[in-house]
């Protein structure tokens, strides 16, 4: 697997919202955004079930591999299963020390 690039500052971050993609695939749009300079992608699709979120996460992992950091919002299980670079933990979510273990 390609090693994730380190996050350089300033960074250009993309937070997903697949409802804005109309006819295009979110994975394709993210690939285009990364090619255009996005350095971090956060998968944030709160309405998807775990299986659908994982499938999308795996596609985004392929689209970002070696080119941009890939994070999953609030779902450590999906982040681990999709080989994400990290997980974004909300204030009322899983405590960071437990997530690090």
């Amino acid at each position: 697997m390609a090693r994730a690039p380190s996050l350089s500052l300033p960074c250009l971050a993309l937070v997903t919202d697949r409802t804005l993609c109309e006819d295009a695939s979110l994975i394709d749009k993210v690939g285009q955004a990364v090619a255009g300079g996005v350095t971090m992608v956060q998968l944030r699709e709160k309405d998807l079930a775990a299986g659908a979120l994982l499938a999308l996460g795996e596609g985004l992992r392929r689209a970002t591999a070696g080119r941009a950091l890939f994070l999953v919002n609030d779902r450590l299980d999906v982040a681990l299963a999709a080989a994400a670079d990290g997980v974004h933990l909300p204030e009322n979510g899983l405590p960071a020390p437990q997530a690090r273990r």
Side-chain angles (χ1 to χ4, degrees):
M1 178 183 301
R3 183 174 171 86
S6 60
L7 186 61
S8 59
L9 297 177
C11 88
L12 180 58
L14 180 151
V15 178
T16 68
D17 182 347
R18 71 187 190 292
T19 65
L20 298 176
C21 291
E22 298 178 2
D23 294 334
S25 157
L26 176 63
I27 296 167
D28 292 339
K29 289 289 189 182
V30 167
Q32 293 169 2
V34 169
V38 164
T39 56
M40 183 182 76
V41 175
Q42 180 178 332
L43 174 58
R44 185 178 187 271
E45 301 292 335
K46 292 185 173 197
D47 63 326
L48 286 181
L53 190 63
L54 175 58
L56 183 54
E58 290 171 336
L60 293 179
R61 170 72 290 172
R62 288 188 299 275
T64 59
R67 303 187 304 152
L69 291 175
F70 172 53
L71 307 177
V72 175
N73 192 75
D74 195 27
R75 293 293 305 263
L76 180 59
D77 57 338
V78 173
L80 289 169
D85 298 309
V87 61
H88 175 271
L89 299 173
E91 185 175 354
N92 63 348
L94 184 66
Q98 282 79 5
R100 285 187 185 104
R101 281 191 283 174

